[in-house]
Structure formats: C-alpha cells, structure tokens
C-alpha cells in the first residue's frame, strides 16, 4: 500500500472555471456583434483575453497553488519583456514624429 501525498481539486472548481471561460468568450464575441469601435473595442477584447489567460494559467496550469518564487520566476520575465516592448513602441513613435517634423 502506497500513500500518495498529492492535492486533489474538486471537479466543481474546474466546471466553474469552464463556465467562466465560456462567459468571457461570449462577452468577447459580443464586442464584435455590437460593433464597438476604436479604443473601447480593443480595450474590451484585451481585457477579456487577459482574464481568460489568467484563469487558464492559474487553475489549469496550477499556478494558483505554486510557491511565490516559482510564480515570479515564470511570470516576471514575460512581463519585463512586455514593458521593454512598450518602451520600444514609444521610442519608435517619437522617432517617427521627429522625422515627420524635420523632413516634411
């Protein structure tokens, strides 16, 4: 007889997360159905997308039950890369506007 020391999560947790993912996907499709435009559309789509990704990572990839050090080791490098990409976008727009000012 071997005793396993694993953690069992109730199936109701997974069913609730599946239902919430379904609701978030429906809301994401409704953004297109109601023809939202401009920054509101993209803001809503990105919000729903990040919420779904966060749920998937937290529950189905078991990040919610991991140690903080492991979570930081996995999530901080992509976040740092996103910050650097954002800084590059700002620099690119500044360079583009400067070139428009001086060359036109």
């Amino acid at each position: 007889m071997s005793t396993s020391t694993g953690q069992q999560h109730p199936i109701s947790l997974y069913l609730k997360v599946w239902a919430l993912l379904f609701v978030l996907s429906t809301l994401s499709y409704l953004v297109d159905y109601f023809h939202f435009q401009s920054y509101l559309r993209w803001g809503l789509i990105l919000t729903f997308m990040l919420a779904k990704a966060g749920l998937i990572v937290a529950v189905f990839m078991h990040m919610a039950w991991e140690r903080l050090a492991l979570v930081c080791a996995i999530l901080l490098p992509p976040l740092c890369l996103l910050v650097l990409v954002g800084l590059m976008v700002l620099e690119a727009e500044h360079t583009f506007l400067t070139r428009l000012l001086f060359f036109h």
Side-chain angles (χ1 to χ4, degrees), residues 83-95:
V83 168
L84 290 174
V85 167
L87 289 172
M88 287 188 287
V89 167
L90 289 175
E91 179 67 24
E93 287 183 8
H94 173 71
T95 303

Side-chain angles (χ1 to χ4, degrees), residues 28-42:
S28 181
Y29 287 119
L30 286 176
V31 168
D32 283 333
Y33 182 77
F34 288 121
H35 302 293
F36 288 117
Q37 296 297 321
S38 188
Y39 291 116
L40 176 64
R41 175 182 185 213
W42 291 109

Side-chain angles (χ1 to χ4, degrees), residues 3-17:
T3 60
S4 63
T5 59
Q7 184 178 10
Q8 294 290 327
H9 303 293
I11 192 74
S12 64
L13 172 70
Y14 294 109
L15 292 175
K16 289 174 188 173
V17 171

Side-chain angles (χ1 to χ4, degrees), residues 14-69:
Y14 294 109
L15 292 175
K16 289 174 188 173
V17 171
W18 273 104
L20 190 54
L21 286 171
F22 179 77
V23 168
L24 288 172
S25 294
T26 302
L27 291 173
S28 181
Y29 287 119
L30 286 176
V31 168
D32 283 333
Y33 182 77
F34 288 121
H35 302 293
F36 288 117
Q37 296 297 321
S38 188
Y39 291 116
L40 176 64
R41 175 182 185 213
W42 291 109
L44 287 172
I45 288 174
L46 286 174
T47 301
F48 294 140
M49 178 190 66
L50 288 174
K52 290 189 297 186
L55 273 172
I56 290 168
V57 168
V59 177
F60 294 117
M61 296 176 72
H62 306 285
M63 273 296 164
W65 300 282
E66 292 295 336
R67 291 183 177 175
L68 183 61

